[in-house]
Short mmCIF file of all heavy atoms in Angstrom, two decimals:
data_model
loop_
_atom_site.label_atom_id
_atom_site.label_comp_id
_atom_site.label_asym_id
_atom_site.label_seq_id
_atom_site.Cartn_x
_atom_site.Cartn_y
_atom_site.Cartn_z
N ALA A 1 132.15 95.24 90.83
CA ALA A 1 131.23 94.14 90.55
C ALA A 1 129.83 94.48 91.01
O ALA A 1 129.63 95.18 92.01
CB ALA A 1 131.72 92.87 91.24
N LYS A 2 128.83 93.95 90.27
CA LYS A 2 127.44 94.03 90.66
C LYS A 2 127.08 92.71 91.33
O LYS A 2 126.64 91.76 90.69
CB LYS A 2 126.55 94.29 89.45
CG LYS A 2 126.84 95.61 88.75
CD LYS A 2 126.05 95.74 87.45
CE LYS A 2 126.35 97.06 86.76
NZ LYS A 2 125.67 97.17 85.43
N LYS A 3 127.31 92.65 92.64
CA LYS A 3 127.09 91.42 93.38
C LYS A 3 125.61 91.25 93.67
O LYS A 3 124.96 92.12 94.27
CB LYS A 3 127.89 91.47 94.69
CG LYS A 3 127.74 90.21 95.53
CD LYS A 3 128.55 90.34 96.81
CE LYS A 3 128.34 89.14 97.72
NZ LYS A 3 129.08 89.29 99.01
N LEU A 4 125.06 90.10 93.24
CA LEU A 4 123.63 89.86 93.38
C LEU A 4 123.28 89.51 94.83
O LEU A 4 124.04 88.82 95.53
CB LEU A 4 123.19 88.73 92.46
CG LEU A 4 123.19 89.07 90.96
CD1 LEU A 4 123.04 87.81 90.13
CD2 LEU A 4 122.09 90.07 90.63
N LYS A 5 122.11 89.98 95.25
CA LYS A 5 121.59 89.67 96.59
C LYS A 5 120.54 88.59 96.45
O LYS A 5 119.44 88.82 95.95
CB LYS A 5 120.96 90.92 97.22
CG LYS A 5 121.92 92.08 97.38
CD LYS A 5 121.19 93.29 97.96
CE LYS A 5 122.12 94.47 98.16
NZ LYS A 5 121.39 95.64 98.72
N GLY A 6 120.86 87.39 96.87
CA GLY A 6 119.90 86.29 96.78
C GLY A 6 119.67 85.86 95.35
O GLY A 6 120.54 85.98 94.49
N ASP A 7 118.44 85.39 95.06
CA ASP A 7 118.12 84.86 93.75
C ASP A 7 117.46 85.88 92.83
O ASP A 7 117.18 85.58 91.67
CB ASP A 7 117.19 83.65 93.88
CG ASP A 7 117.86 82.50 94.64
OD1 ASP A 7 119.10 82.40 94.53
OD2 ASP A 7 117.14 81.76 95.32
N GLY A 8 117.19 87.07 93.32
CA GLY A 8 116.51 88.07 92.52
C GLY A 8 117.47 88.87 91.66
O GLY A 8 118.61 88.49 91.43
N ASP A 9 116.97 90.04 91.19
CA ASP A 9 117.77 90.91 90.32
C ASP A 9 118.46 92.02 91.09
O ASP A 9 119.23 92.79 90.51
CB ASP A 9 116.87 91.54 89.24
CG ASP A 9 116.31 90.47 88.30
OD1 ASP A 9 116.99 89.46 88.10
OD2 ASP A 9 115.19 90.67 87.77
N ALA A 10 118.19 92.12 92.38
CA ALA A 10 118.80 93.19 93.18
C ALA A 10 120.29 92.93 93.36
O ALA A 10 120.71 91.79 93.56
CB ALA A 10 118.11 93.29 94.54
N TYR A 11 121.08 94.00 93.29
CA TYR A 11 122.53 93.85 93.44
C TYR A 11 123.11 95.07 94.14
O TYR A 11 122.45 96.11 94.27
CB TYR A 11 123.21 93.65 92.09
CG TYR A 11 123.09 94.82 91.14
CD1 TYR A 11 123.97 95.91 91.22
CD2 TYR A 11 122.11 94.85 90.14
CE1 TYR A 11 123.86 96.99 90.34
CE2 TYR A 11 121.99 95.92 89.27
CZ TYR A 11 122.88 96.98 89.37
OH TYR A 11 122.77 98.04 88.51
N GLU A 12 124.33 94.91 94.59
CA GLU A 12 125.07 96.02 95.20
C GLU A 12 126.43 96.12 94.51
O GLU A 12 127.02 95.12 94.11
CB GLU A 12 125.27 95.79 96.70
CG GLU A 12 126.02 94.50 97.04
CD GLU A 12 126.24 94.34 98.54
OE1 GLU A 12 126.32 95.36 99.22
OE2 GLU A 12 126.33 93.18 99.00
N ASN A 13 126.92 97.34 94.34
CA ASN A 13 128.22 97.56 93.74
C ASN A 13 129.31 97.39 94.80
O ASN A 13 129.28 98.04 95.84
CB ASN A 13 128.30 98.97 93.14
CG ASN A 13 127.45 99.10 91.89
OD1 ASN A 13 127.59 98.32 90.95
ND2 ASN A 13 126.55 100.07 91.88
N VAL A 14 130.25 96.50 94.52
CA VAL A 14 131.34 96.24 95.45
C VAL A 14 132.65 96.18 94.67
O VAL A 14 132.65 95.89 93.47
CB VAL A 14 131.15 94.90 96.21
CG1 VAL A 14 129.86 94.92 97.02
CG2 VAL A 14 131.15 93.72 95.25
N PRO A 15 133.80 96.43 95.31
CA PRO A 15 135.08 96.24 94.63
C PRO A 15 135.29 94.77 94.28
O PRO A 15 134.86 93.89 95.02
CB PRO A 15 136.11 96.72 95.67
CG PRO A 15 135.33 97.49 96.67
CD PRO A 15 133.95 96.92 96.69
N ALA A 16 135.94 94.53 93.17
CA ALA A 16 136.20 93.14 92.77
C ALA A 16 137.02 92.40 93.82
O ALA A 16 136.88 91.18 93.98
CB ALA A 16 136.91 93.11 91.42
N SER A 17 137.85 93.14 94.54
CA SER A 17 138.68 92.52 95.57
C SER A 17 137.88 91.98 96.74
O SER A 17 138.38 91.21 97.55
CB SER A 17 139.72 93.52 96.08
OG SER A 17 139.08 94.67 96.60
N ALA A 18 136.59 92.39 96.83
CA ALA A 18 135.74 91.91 97.93
C ALA A 18 135.00 90.62 97.58
O ALA A 18 134.33 90.04 98.43
CB ALA A 18 134.72 93.00 98.30
N LEU A 19 135.11 90.17 96.33
CA LEU A 19 134.40 88.96 95.92
C LEU A 19 135.08 87.71 96.44
O LEU A 19 136.31 87.67 96.58
CB LEU A 19 134.33 88.90 94.39
CG LEU A 19 133.52 89.99 93.69
CD1 LEU A 19 133.66 89.89 92.18
CD2 LEU A 19 132.05 89.93 94.10
N ARG A 20 134.28 86.71 96.73
CA ARG A 20 134.79 85.44 97.21
C ARG A 20 134.19 84.30 96.39
O ARG A 20 133.19 84.48 95.69
CB ARG A 20 134.46 85.24 98.70
CG ARG A 20 135.12 86.24 99.63
CD ARG A 20 136.64 86.04 99.65
NE ARG A 20 137.31 86.95 100.57
CZ ARG A 20 137.76 88.15 100.27
NH1 ARG A 20 137.58 88.62 99.03
NH2 ARG A 20 138.39 88.89 101.16
N VAL A 21 134.81 83.13 96.48
CA VAL A 21 134.32 81.95 95.75
C VAL A 21 132.86 81.71 96.11
O VAL A 21 132.49 81.69 97.28
CB VAL A 21 135.17 80.71 96.09
CG1 VAL A 21 134.55 79.46 95.48
CG2 VAL A 21 136.60 80.89 95.60
N GLY A 22 132.03 81.52 95.08
CA GLY A 22 130.62 81.24 95.29
C GLY A 22 129.73 82.45 95.09
O GLY A 22 128.52 82.29 94.88
N ASP A 23 130.29 83.67 95.16
CA ASP A 23 129.48 84.86 94.91
C ASP A 23 129.00 84.86 93.46
O ASP A 23 129.70 84.35 92.56
CB ASP A 23 130.30 86.13 95.16
CG ASP A 23 130.58 86.35 96.64
OD1 ASP A 23 129.89 85.72 97.47
OD2 ASP A 23 131.50 87.13 96.96
N VAL A 24 127.82 85.43 93.22
CA VAL A 24 127.27 85.53 91.87
C VAL A 24 127.15 87.00 91.52
O VAL A 24 126.62 87.80 92.31
CB VAL A 24 125.90 84.84 91.76
CG1 VAL A 24 125.34 84.99 90.35
CG2 VAL A 24 126.03 83.35 92.10
#
């Protein structure tokens, strides 16, 4: 997943298994 940092366009690549409810 490309998990967004804050409200901007910056993101970090993380495993899908690391995502939690509310992440964008």
Side-chain angles (χ1 to χ4, degrees):
K2 298 173 180 175
K3 181 180 176 183
L4 289 168
K5 300 177 179 180
D7 297 329
D9 295 330
Y11 64 83
E12 59 178 332
N13 289 306
V14 300
S17 58
L19 296 174
R20 296 293 183 271
V21 173
D23 290 343
V24 179

